[in-house]
Amino acid sequence: MDILQTIQNLREELNLHNHNYYVLDAPTISDLEFDQKLKQLQALENQHPEYFDENSPTQRVGGTITKNFQTVAHDYRMYSLDNSYSKEDLIDWENRIQKVLGNVEIEYTCELKYDGASISITYENGKLKCAVTRGDGFQGDDVTNNIKTIRSIPLKLKGNNYPEKFDIRGEIILPLAGFEKMNQELIEIGETPYSNPRNTASGSLKLQDSTEVAKRPLDCLLYFLIGNNLPFLSQYDGLQTAKSWGFKVPNEARLAHSLDEVFAFIDHWDTHRHKLPYETDGVVIKVNRFQYQEELGYTAKSPRWAIAYKFKSEQVSTILNSISYQVGRTGAITPVANLKPVQLAGTIVKRASLHNADQIEKLDIRVGDTVFVEKGGEIIPKIIAVDLTQRPENTEPTQYITHCPECQTELVRTEGEANHYCPNFYGCPPQIIGRIQHYISRKAMDIEGLGGETVTLLFNNNLVHNYADLYELTVEQVLPLERMAQKSAENLVNGIENSKKIPFENVLYALGIRYVGETVAKKLAKHYKNIDALQQASLMDLILVDEIGDRIASSVIEFFENEENQRIINRLKAYGIQFEIVEKINPNATQKLVGKTFVVSGVFSIYSRDGLKEAIEDNGGKVGSSISAKTDYVIAGENMGPAKLEKANQLKIPIITEHDFIQLLNDAEH
Ligand code: AMP
Ligand code: ZN
């Protein structure tokens, strides 16, 4: 079979598996098999850039940088929806409709109103062409590269009855579980968590680096098609057809034959919506038949044939019993409100998050107050206001704690930061335990046989005081711990032993340096290659690394300057932890570019930026970060920076395109 055919078969296969996994939620192969096929395709595409396809499943990992999003006009305007808040509002709406249509029987499609950011995606000849945000309804931002990373959005359609060109509209959402997980990771590295899924979803669309978007667990729920020659005559059939083309259309939509059936739909979802994996803020009711929709037309802002019914956001009032303060792994203090237990959105709420001192001050919240609690996107509900009319007499404003509740050290608050910190990093129990728990976690050292609770036990029993101590543990020492048996004790010690094989980038993340999350750890590991080089890097060096800012750089410096950390790292070295990157061996590597240094600038169409850098390195060349006399070539894509251009011209360094680069590779000997 020829290469192109192999590539095309792989693409088709991967598209199908993506659909099974992300749209149907019914995968038919393992993640491992999927990854292997994807890698195989990626390798073939790298070797054969002439078969590049912007809609290949390999493009989903991102890799493009967009500095400015282009403004694009919508072919069809994106309207808003009128809102309604009661059944009376809906009866009025139906009366208005009947005035126009006469006394015909009207069917309605009832859908959930997904709470995210709206998007319009254009397909041409069955392929994703571009994706544009709503903007002002007439024109929006072209966010195609970011949208393509969302796995549930088909890059190629299934079936064959789609028109040549059409737009499909939907909502980009961040499912609750994914949102919660993202926040957990932020909290772990000492960052402030996101406030709600909707804003995070819409913010994600405008990230400049599509690789970052690819990492976010975004999803897209579709609800509306528009274009010429659509092969259906009603909204409901449109939804079913979109589904058959491979789009993710939620199954909850129903056809209602009367307003009473609409009301039943609303009543059902008013209570059941909290069980959905994503947030909704209402129901959208649409006149089903296109013929009637056309007769009804539009007002200045919205269709007359559709209306949103907004759920009342669920709120209850209860009493604030006390405020407690938690100390995190990085020393950050989080105040928590302890409430008189109350029923809210199907669960009993006892605690609510209070974020930080500013918020307590802003709300002027006091123990004994009656407070309003609301359930938003987070699992932990929020306090939105204090009912001042219910305030008991003689209350005092809340005094934020000045000392750590766990170790009594005086707290600090850095200028410009929202949180107070306990600076006793090496003596404050929750910080010590938290750091070890982070060290053993799945994305860090992935230590099997050891869980968070056991870490607490080990610490409380004076067996470990830092993560290096783990490597000294013996079966005899852990055996007496609660719920330990011979087998589990052996597993624990073996699990720790096995972590010596974990690659450097994970180790770097595991160290728990503030602001060094997974991505940053990877970048640093790739750049410095080993811990000694990283340890010796100056602040300036660090800032020059792609995407490492001031804040991260200072935190890295501070970490390595600390003597306790140095001692721990030396011990880890002695135990045989990986402190060096193991270069992956590429079977297609050549020596064609040995001795040549390239600087890459701008946005490319054949390669992703990282892909291009990889191609240079795989062929023996070097990638420089800035243009100097040592640079042999500048590979320029679209939007190359003017400063770089000037510098290259000044130094008379040849500026080539990615096509020239491919030519260069083809012409080179060896
Ligand atoms: P609003 O922003 O309040 O004017 O509401 C209109 C927005 O609701 C639309 O722009 C869509 O982004 C969003 N929406 C969410 N779910 C649906 C749905 N099922 N049908 C139509 N619009 C929806
Ligand atoms: Zn403390």
Side-chain angles (χ1 to χ4, degrees):
M1 196 168 18
D2 72 346
I3 304 274
L4 179 59
Q5 192 59 51
T6 314
I7 289 181
Q8 278 168 345
N9 290 349
L10 275 168
R11 283 176 185 160
E12 225 151 87
E13 229 184 302
L14 286 163
N15 278 336
L16 179 71
H17 291 307
N18 256 326
H19 183 257
N20 288 342
Y21 189 100
Y22 291 101
V23 179
L24 302 180
D25 203 7
T28 56
I29 60 169
S30 71
D31 292 0
L32 186 69
E33 280 172 285
F34 183 89
D35 286 344
Q36 280 167 347
K37 283 185 200 291
L38 191 65
K39 281 213 180 96
Q40 191 187 348
L41 176 60
Q42 182 75 67
L44 287 173
E45 288 183 356
N46 283 349
Q47 284 166 29
H48 297 277
E50 67 274 23
Y51 297 140
F52 172 81
D53 179 350
E54 59 183 6
N55 283 337
S56 165
T58 52
Q59 299 302 302
R60 297 217 188 252
V61 296
T64 53
I65 308 280
T66 313
K67 285 270 186 290
N68 294 302
F69 292 95
Q70 299 283 328
T71 307
V72 177
H74 294 295
D75 279 351
Y76 304 90
R77 177 168 166 195
M78 287 179 87
Y79 284 91
S80 299
L81 288 171
D82 280 341
N83 286 325
S84 62
Y85 302 91
S86 65
K87 295 185 177 165
E88 289 68 45
D89 288 348
L90 289 176
I91 293 170
D92 289 346
W93 177 62
E94 182 170 70
N95 286 336
R96 289 198 299 276
I97 290 176
Q98 277 168 341
K99 271 211 191 100
V100 180
L101 298 181
N103 255 338
V104 292
E105 223 170 86
I106 306 169
E107 284 177 337
Y108 301 100
T109 312
C110 302
E111 294 163 41
L112 292 168
K113 189 166 188 292
Y114 322 113
D115 204 6
S118 39
I119 191 80
S120 181
I121 315 176
T122 305
Y123 282 81
E124 252 178 57
N125 301 315
K127 289 185 180 161
L128 189 153
K129 185 85 192 344
C130 72
V132 182
T133 62
R134 171 172 150 149
D136 63 1
F138 296 98
Q139 52 181 39
D141 292 320
D142 182 338
V143 291
T144 312
N145 288 328
N146 286 346
I147 286 298
K148 276 187 184 170
T149 67
I150 301 175
R151 308 297 201 271
S152 62
I153 299 179
L155 300 175
K156 270 187 82 181
L157 300 184
K158 303 205 309 174
N160 50 20
N161 61 335
Y162 43 76
E164 199 182 312
K165 184 174 178 187
F166 68 90
D167 287 357
I168 185 159
R169 280 159 189 183
E171 203 80 357
I172 305 293
I173 56 145
L174 196 52
L176 290 166
F179 175 73
E180 229 30 72
K181 195 157 155 270
M182 277 173 73
N183 269 352
Q184 205 46 52
E185 284 165 12
L186 284 176
I187 291 166
E188 269 187 19
I189 61 164
E191 295 272 14
T192 321
Y194 295 110
S195 69
N196 67 59
R198 189 199 41 230
N199 292 354
T200 315
S202 81
S204 302
L205 294 185
K206 300 291 283 290
L207 288 176
Q208 296 193 336
D209 183 354
S210 60
T211 318
E212 286 306 310
V213 187
K215 284 187 204 136
R216 298 194 173 181
L218 297 165
D219 207 343
C220 180
L221 307 177
L222 294 138
Y223 51 71
F224 182 59
L225 290 135
I226 189 160
N228 290 324
N229 303 319
L230 292 169
F232 42 81
L233 298 168
S234 71
Q235 167 66 11
Y236 192 78
D237 289 348
L239 292 179
Q240 307 314 317
T241 309
K243 213 180 280 185
S244 76
W245 291 341
F247 291 105
K248 188 159 188 170
V249 178
N251 288 321
E252 285 75 19
R254 290 288 176 275
L255 201 53
H257 302 86
S258 66
L259 266 195
D260 279 334
E261 287 184 32
V262 171
F263 296 156
F265 184 88
I266 290 175
D267 289 343
H268 177 81
W269 288 109
D270 198 2
T271 52
H272 286 76
R273 68 194 174 110
H274 299 290
K275 298 200 173 78
L276 292 166
Y278 46 83
E279 287 200 291
T280 53
D281 61 343
V283 165
V284 184
I285 304 125
K286 300 171 185 171
V287 171
N288 190 40
R289 274 170 72 162
F290 288 165
Q291 186 203 331
Y292 292 159
Q293 291 187 3
E294 266 161 47
E295 282 179 51
L296 289 162
Y298 296 81
T299 66
K301 268 185 58 213
S302 33
R304 286 198 189 88
W305 47 263
I307 194 162
Y309 174 91
K310 294 267 186 154
F311 292 129
K312 281 177 215 55
S313 73
E314 259 180 271
Q315 265 183 24
V316 284
S317 68
T318 184
I319 299 200
L320 176 69
N321 284 335
S322 65
I323 298 177
S324 51
Y325 298 85
Q326 291 176 346
V327 188
R329 163 171 81 80
T330 56
I333 308 289
T334 323
V336 178
N338 299 307
L339 305 168
K340 182 170 164 219
V342 61
Q343 183 88 22
L344 172 65
T347 49
I348 290 174
V349 172
K350 296 188 198 120
R351 302 186 335 145
S353 123
L354 278 169
H355 300 293
N356 52 48
D358 287 343
Q359 199 188 0
I360 291 180
E361 201 176 318
K362 208 170 91 200
L363 291 170
D364 182 22
I365 189 171
R366 305 177 185 190
V367 170
D369 269 343
T370 297
V371 295
F372 293 107
V373 184
E374 187 178 290
K375 201 142 188 178
E378 308 81 62
I379 305 278
I380 299 192
K382 260 192 201 135
I383 294 185
I384 41 175
V386 172
D387 185 352
L388 291 175
T389 63
Q390 303 288 318
R391 174 164 283 173
E393 272 171 47
N394 305 325
T395 58
E396 294 278 329
T398 298
Q399 293 292 333
Y400 204 80
I401 49 167
T402 52
H403 290 76
C404 175
E406 304 277 347
C407 74
Q408 281 69 50
T409 306
E410 192 173 349
L411 301 180
V412 292
R413 188 182 199 183
T414 321
E415 186 73 44
E417 295 221 6
N419 284 332
H420 285 74
Y421 281 88
C422 164
N424 182 18
F425 300 131
Y426 300 96
C428 183
Q431 297 192 55
I432 300 172
I433 295 171
R435 262 197 310 274
I436 304 175
Q437 287 172 335
H438 169 76
Y439 184 84
I440 65 162
S441 64
R442 202 176 51 77
K443 287 182 171 170
M445 301 304 273
D446 193 17
I447 296 184
E448 261 176 63
L450 176 57
E453 282 175 36
T454 311
V455 170
T456 311
L457 279 179
L458 289 170
F459 175 82
N460 290 342
N461 284 280
N462 251 323
L463 290 170
V464 295
H465 302 97
N466 57 53
Y467 38 68
D469 290 344
L470 292 172
Y471 296 91
E472 305 267 350
L473 284 176
T474 62
V475 173
E476 293 70 44
Q477 278 178 317
V478 294
L479 208 44
L481 294 183
E482 256 170 69
R483 286 193 301 272
M484 263 307 157
Q486 182 69 26
K487 187 83 199 130
S488 47
E490 280 170 16
N491 284 346
L492 188 155
V493 173
N494 285 339
I496 293 171
E497 182 62 26
N498 286 338
S499 73
K500 294 180 181 171
K501 297 194 206 96
I502 294 290
F504 178 43
E505 56 190 48
N506 296 58
V507 176
L508 198 52
Y509 170 64
L511 294 180
I513 307 170
R514 202 164 163 217
Y515 304 131
V516 177
E518 250 189 305
T519 316
V520 172
K522 248 188 214 139
K523 289 233 156 84
L524 290 173
K526 216 172 152 195
H527 187 90
Y528 288 100
K529 312 257 190 292
N530 62 61
I531 193 112
D532 295 329
L534 177 62
Q535 221 162 342
Q536 280 153 22
S538 69
L539 191 70
M540 235 10 234
D541 279 344
L542 282 161
I543 292 173
L544 286 177
V545 180
D546 239 3
E547 285 168 57
I548 304 295
D550 256 357
R551 201 175 57 143
I552 299 173
S554 324
S555 163
V556 171
I557 297 276
E558 202 178 306
F559 182 87
F560 287 114
E561 267 171 7
N562 182 289
E563 283 176 18
E564 170 83 10
N565 287 336
Q566 288 170 9
R567 265 195 300 277
I568 292 178
I569 289 173
N570 286 336
R571 281 179 62 200
L572 292 176
K573 273 186 188 164
Y575 298 132
I577 306 299
Q578 303 291 319
F579 275 123
E580 208 166 60
I581 209 159
V582 180
E583 299 281 357
K584 58 173 191 255
I585 299 164
N586 182 345
N588 306 310
T590 76
Q591 302 292 314
K592 288 180 186 174
L593 303 176
V594 165
K596 301 257 185 297
T597 302
F598 294 79
V599 169
V600 172
S601 176
V603 180
F604 300 91
S605 54
I606 298 179
Y607 287 104
S608 69
R609 228 170 130 90
D610 285 341
L612 185 55
K613 289 182 180 172
E614 231 164 76
I616 295 168
E617 285 170 352
D618 283 351
N619 289 291
K622 265 202 200 138
V623 181
S625 58
S626 60
I627 299 175
S628 72
K630 291 192 197 124
T631 311
D632 293 291
Y633 294 98
V634 174
I635 311 180
E638 245 177 85
N639 297 331
M640 173 177 175
K644 279 196 176 162
L645 187 64
E646 205 188 307
K647 186 97 191 260
N649 284 332
Q650 210 178 16
L651 294 170
K652 300 210 167 50
I653 293 164
I655 301 175
I656 63 174
T657 64
E658 55 188 329
H659 301 276
D660 300 334
F661 173 73
I662 292 166
Q663 195 63 43
L664 193 77
L665 271 183
N666 289 338
D667 291 350
E669 302 191 351
H670 309 296

